[in-house]
Amino acid sequence: MEALKLKTVDDLLLASQQGERIELINGEIVKRPMARSDHALAQAGLSGQFLPLWRKGSDGGWWIMSEISVRYNEHHCPAHDLAGWRKERVPHRPTGMMEILPDWVCEITSPGHERKDTFTQLLRLQAYQVPYYWLISPEDKTLIAYELDNGRYRVAFSVECHDVATCSQLIIPPFTGQVLDFGYVFGDE
């Protein structure tokens, strides 16, 4: 019986030249799902609300990036929907594949890939001690924000946004200085 050979970041880079949407999860090259409008609108809507944080300097500013590959180790390099780094920790504009641990990751679920976001990514990011992990479901109009507490994730905030009024003025860790409108994120204007 042949032993399973874990794929590496080099394998990922070689495979990505073929133009497919892929990422490296626990030593396996995984195809990313086809982009859907609900996912894209939620990602764009949230990204736009972070512009004030992106424009700030090192005091309270963030580098927020979408569709960014983060190399956690040789066998784990996911492409996060959104990830952020505090400018006080990463003062200069990052370039290339990120090898610096993010301060925040946000994944937006896609049909057929929910397990990866709700279970696999959550456990991996917890193991790497990423301070904050958000999980957004555009289909269910929900957000769960996890925060590390003694090395384990705990729910710091959660909301179901079926009523625009209850979701238009949210303050969610780690962005406590920023009011977010999840009615807009979920396309309810």
Side-chain angles (χ1 to χ4, degrees), residues 55-76:
R55 291 185 175 136
K56 283 186 176 181
S58 62
D59 184 30
W62 286 75
W63 299 110
I64 304 285
M65 296 179 229
S66 61
E67 299 297 324
I68 181 70
S69 295
V70 179
R71 180 183 179 154
Y72 291 92
N73 68 32
E74 191 61 19
H75 303 292
H76 193 69

Side-chain angles (χ1 to χ4, degrees), residues 3-176:
L4 176 66
K5 182 179 182 276
L6 296 176
K7 300 291 185 187
T8 66
V9 171
D10 289 338
D11 295 321
L12 176 67
L13 293 172
L14 185 63
S16 68
Q17 293 174 358
Q18 297 172 3
E20 289 188 72
R21 292 172 37 99
I22 57 175
E23 59 190 334
L24 182 63
I25 306 292
N26 297 334
E28 180 183 349
I29 294 178
V30 177
K31 286 185 181 182
R32 298 194 71 212
M34 180 176 63
R36 298 175 191 251
S37 61
D38 288 343
H39 185 285
L41 288 170
Q43 188 171 356
L46 190 54
S47 293
Q49 293 185 62
F50 287 131
L51 283 176
L53 294 173
W54 197 73
R55 291 185 175 136
K56 283 186 176 181
S58 62
D59 184 30
W62 286 75
W63 299 110
I64 304 285
M65 296 179 229
S66 61
E67 299 297 324
I68 181 70
S69 295
V70 179
R71 180 183 179 154
Y72 291 92
N73 68 32
E74 191 61 19
H75 303 292
H76 193 69
C77 185
H80 295 304
D81 292 323
L82 293 162
W85 293 259
R86 294 177 190 269
K87 287 185 178 180
E88 62 195 27
R89 195 169 65 82
V90 182
H92 303 289
R93 183 180 172 270
T95 59
M97 182 188 308
M98 287 301 292
E99 297 192 14
I100 302 169
L101 183 77
D103 294 300
W104 167 79
V105 168
C106 177
E107 295 294 355
I108 302 166
T109 61
S110 297
H113 289 256
E114 296 90 352
R115 179 174 170 77
K116 180 190 73 124
D117 295 328
T118 60
F119 183 72
T120 306
Q121 285 289 51
L122 181 131
L123 292 179
R124 289 302 259 173
L125 296 176
Q126 179 178 270
Y128 287 110
Q129 298 292 281
V130 173
Y132 294 91
Y133 179 55
W134 286 13
L135 186 60
I136 294 174
S137 171
E139 288 79 18
D140 296 329
K141 296 186 178 191
T142 59
L143 159 73
I144 302 172
Y146 296 95
E147 179 177 21
L148 273 181
D149 184 10
N150 292 319
R152 299 226 180 266
Y153 279 134
R154 67 170 179 79
V155 175
F157 185 91
S158 63
V159 67
E160 196 171 22
C161 291
H162 295 292
D163 175 18
V164 176
T166 62
C167 293
S168 63
Q169 299 285 312
L170 302 179
I171 298 174
I172 309 164
F175 307 106
T176 55

